[in-house]
Every structure is written in C-alpha cells, then in structure tokens.
C-alpha cells in the first residue's frame, strides 16, 4: 500500500520535465548553431572535446546534487569535496599507492562525508544549508592543511592519460557520465528507493506514515552526492594533472544551477537525471561560447543567474496552478 500511495509522486512533474528538457535541448542546439556561425573554432574537434570534458565534471556532481535537492535538501559542500578528494588521491599516488587502490580509497570518502552530512541533519537537527555550508569551509581547510597550501603533481602517466582517452570519438570523461547517469536514472525513476526520494521531498511526514524510512532515504541521497563529488575530484585531478585543495571552487553553485536549470525544484519532489545533464551542457556552452567570443566573463555569471531566476519563477507558477 505504501508503494502504491507514493508511486504517483514522481509522475506529477513528468510532463513539465519532458517539455522543459525539450526546450533546453532546443536552446542548446540553437546556441551551438549560433556559435558555429559566429566563431571559427567552436565546432573544431579540440573545442568540442574540451567542452564535453568540462561538462562531464559538472554533470557528475549535478546528478548527485539532484538526489539531495529532490529530498528537499541542498549540498553546498560538493565543490570542497571535489578539492579534498583531488588532494587525497594526489597524496596517495605520490605515496606510490597503486592507481586502483588510490582511486578506491578516495571514493570511500564519499559514504563517510555523505553519512556525516545526513547525521548532522537528522540527529543534530541542523538545516541542510547550514550543515553543508559548514563542511564546505571545513573540507576546504582540511585539504589546505594536508598539503600546506601546496600543489601536488607528478602523477603516473596512466592516471593522467585516462582523462585524455577517447572511445568512438567520445572523451573518456563523458563515458563516465554515461556510466553514472544510467544507474542513477534506474535508481531514481524505476526503483522503490527512487519513489522514496520523491516522497520525502513531497511531504516527509506523509511519507513516514506511508511506511517510508525517512532517515535511510536521506542518508542515501547525501551519500550519493558526496560519492559523485569524490569521483569528480578524482577525474579532475586526472584531467589537470595536479592535486590542489582549491580545485572545484564555486562548483557547488554550478551543480545547483545545472540541476535547477534542468528542472529540479528547489522545493523538492521534482527532478530528473536528464535535466542536470542538459543543464550542465547548457552552462558549459555558455562559458565556452563567451570565451570564444571574448565576452567579459562576468556576463557568464549574470546569464546563469537570470536563467536560474526564470526557471524557479516558472516552477513557482506551475506549483501555484496545482493548488
């Protein structure tokens, strides 16, 4: 009965999400067409590959952020976790730990960090905003303390070479996004746990009365977010060939923006996996196109801000019409 009661929750926003995804896809294609016509270098192989690589890193953390936002929470620490994990994997590699072990141990930070966030929210009663804002500062400080503010380099060629590989003309980092997105889609849209995530975001008390284990669901969401941030940190270290605690600075805002532009509601209970993928591609295209057109980089932030305002405004209108 509990599953039947909450099964319809994720479907309420499907039509809106589908139309929004089509709109974002159309906007993305339009931007690509305009940039192709106005610049000589946009459609070059090197530029498209670089665009996909950057979009991949933002997409990975945006997917994790989406799980959290759907529950009605937020994770402001993902950028700092990216920096911390890039530092940890760098230190392990410099200590001659095998690549597979260094990557595995770094990814193990994810469940620890995510579990700590959920513990603070559930057991200490801290709002998600405050809990993750505090760890944003703390994790950045821990990374700087571990390295004394220094940059770590000199990684094995196999580690740095991975981010430069391509398969069927598609960068390896984008294949990682696909490998992350497919199980995430199945989990969110075709599993009991996915229905629980939507239910908690819609009405936590009603979900509890329907038999949903609220604590486990919130733990799952924050663990996924932190683990994917750790994965992005490892991939970033591979891509730029250095480990530095300030890596990923501001990426928490990029992940939230990608998710919200992709249709995830900051009020919870609405969101998808395809949305943040399109949102991250859109933001990366804006940044890339602005650089190619020599547009003042400050305009990139202004455009992103107005996009978020527009999406949230229309989300509010949609919610009002339902009442």
């Amino acid at each position: 009965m509990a599953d039947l009661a909450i099964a319809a929750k994720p479907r309420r926003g499907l039509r809106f999400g589908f139309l929004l995804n089509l709109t974002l896809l159309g906007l993305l294609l339009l931007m690509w067409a305009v940039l192709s016509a106005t610049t000589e270098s946009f459609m070059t192989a090197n530029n498209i590959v670089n665009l996909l690589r950057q979009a991949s890193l933002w997409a990975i953390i945006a997917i994790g952020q989406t799980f959290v936002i759907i529950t009605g929470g937020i994770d402001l620490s993902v950028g700092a976790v990216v920096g911390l994990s890039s530092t940890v994997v760098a230190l392990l590699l410099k200590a001659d730990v095998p690549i597979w072990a260094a990557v595995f141990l770094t990814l193990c930070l994810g469940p620890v960090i995510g579990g700590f966030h959920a513990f603070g929210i559930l057991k200490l009663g801290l709002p998600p905003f405050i809990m993750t804002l505090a760890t944003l500062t703390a994790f950045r400080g821990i990374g700087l303390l571990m390295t004394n503010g220094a940059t770590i380099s000199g990684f094995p060629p196999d580690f740095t070479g991975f981010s430069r590989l391509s398969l069927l003309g598609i960068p390896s980092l984008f294949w990682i996004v696909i490998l992350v997105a497919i199980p995430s889609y199945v989990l969110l849209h075709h599993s009991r746990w996915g229905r629980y995530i939507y239910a908690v975001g819609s009405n936590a008390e009603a979900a509890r009365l329907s038999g949903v284990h609220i604590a486990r669901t919130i733990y799952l969401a924050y663990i996924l977010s932190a683990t994917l941030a750790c994965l992005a940190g490892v991939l970033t270290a591979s891509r730029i060939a250095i480990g530095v605690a300030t890596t990923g600075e501001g990426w928490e805002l990029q992940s939230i923006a990608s998710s919200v532009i992709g249709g995830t509601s900051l009020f919870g209970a609405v969101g998808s996996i395809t949305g943040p993928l399109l949102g991250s591609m859109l933001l990366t295209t804006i940044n890339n196109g602005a650089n190619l057109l020599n547009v003042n980089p400050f305009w990139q932030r202004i455009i992103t801000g107005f996009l978020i305002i527009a999406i949230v405004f229309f989300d509010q209108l949609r919610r009002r019409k339902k009442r």
Side-chain angles (χ1 to χ4, degrees):
M1 287 296 293
D3 287 344
L4 289 175
I6 64 176
K9 298 285 186 185
R11 298 190 179 97
R12 292 180 179 178
L14 283 181
R15 185 177 179 183
F16 170 79
F18 178 73
L19 292 175
L20 178 61
N21 286 341
L22 283 181
T23 302
L24 291 176
L25 182 59
L27 180 59
L28 184 63
L29 293 175
L30 176 62
M31 291 177 62
W32 278 44
V34 170
L35 289 171
S36 298
T38 55
T39 66
E40 296 180 356
S41 54
F42 179 77
M43 284 303 293
T44 60
N46 285 339
N47 186 64
I48 295 300
V49 167
N50 286 331
L51 188 152
L52 290 177
R53 284 172 177 160
Q54 184 58 48
S56 298
L57 299 173
W58 287 355
I60 289 171
I61 59 175
I63 289 173
Q65 185 75 252
T66 297
F67 283 107
V68 170
I69 294 177
I70 291 176
T71 66
I74 200 163
D75 189 349
L76 296 177
S77 72
V78 290
V81 173
V82 168
L84 178 62
S85 56
S86 74
T87 300
V88 169
V89 74
L91 290 173
L92 290 172
L93 290 173
K94 290 295 287 184
D96 294 325
V97 175
I99 294 175
W100 68 268
V103 172
F104 175 75
L105 290 173
T106 303
L107 293 180
C108 286
L109 282 175
V112 176
I113 293 172
F116 179 66
H117 286 153
F119 176 83
I121 293 165
L122 294 168
K123 301 299 183 182
L124 302 182
L126 298 175
F129 182 92
I130 298 300
M131 183 65 196
T132 57
L133 178 63
T135 54
L136 180 157
T137 302
F139 292 150
R140 193 72 74 186
I142 291 172
L144 291 168
L145 190 64
M146 291 171 62
T147 60
N148 200 26
T151 298
I152 304 170
S153 58
F155 301 149
D158 288 343
F159 179 74
T160 55
F162 173 78
S163 63
R164 301 180 179 90
L165 295 176
S166 294
L167 178 63
L168 303 177
I170 299 175
S172 56
L173 296 184
F174 197 78
W175 282 111
I176 297 296
V177 174
I178 295 172
L179 292 176
V180 169
I182 291 175
S184 296
Y185 180 88
V186 173
L187 173 65
L188 187 60
H189 298 289
H190 298 284
S191 76
R192 176 181 298 180
W193 283 104
R195 294 193 295 273
Y196 288 174
I197 288 172
Y198 282 107
V200 170
S202 177
N203 188 320
E205 182 60 22
R208 185 187 66 80
L209 295 175
S210 297
V212 176
H213 200 299
I214 304 298
R216 290 178 185 174
T217 304
I218 292 176
Y219 268 100
L220 173 65
Y222 281 91
I223 285 173
L224 287 172
S225 179
T227 302
L228 290 178
C230 286
L231 174 60
V234 171
L235 295 175
T236 301
S238 172
R239 185 187 177 201
I240 63 178
I242 59 173
V244 55
T246 54
T247 300
E249 197 164 14
W251 284 18
E252 57 279 350
L253 300 180
Q254 293 292 346
S255 70
I256 295 169
S258 296
S259 186
V260 171
I261 290 172
T264 306
S265 174
L266 287 172
F267 302 100
V270 175
S272 67
I273 297 302
T274 54
L277 297 180
L278 289 170
S280 60
M281 281 296 297
L282 193 65
L283 290 180
T284 308
T285 300
I286 291 173
N287 292 341
N288 182 266
N291 290 333
L292 293 177
L293 294 170
N294 294 319
V295 175
N296 190 316
F298 298 139
W299 279 105
Q300 301 174 22
R301 300 189 178 192
I302 295 172
I303 294 171
T304 300
F306 276 105
L307 272 175
I308 295 173
I309 290 172
I311 295 296
V312 174
F313 173 73
F314 284 113
D315 180 44
Q316 286 183 317
L317 288 181
R318 181 180 60 83
R319 287 167 59 87
R320 289 170 188 166
K321 289 179 179 179
K322 283 185 176 182
R323 293 176 181 173

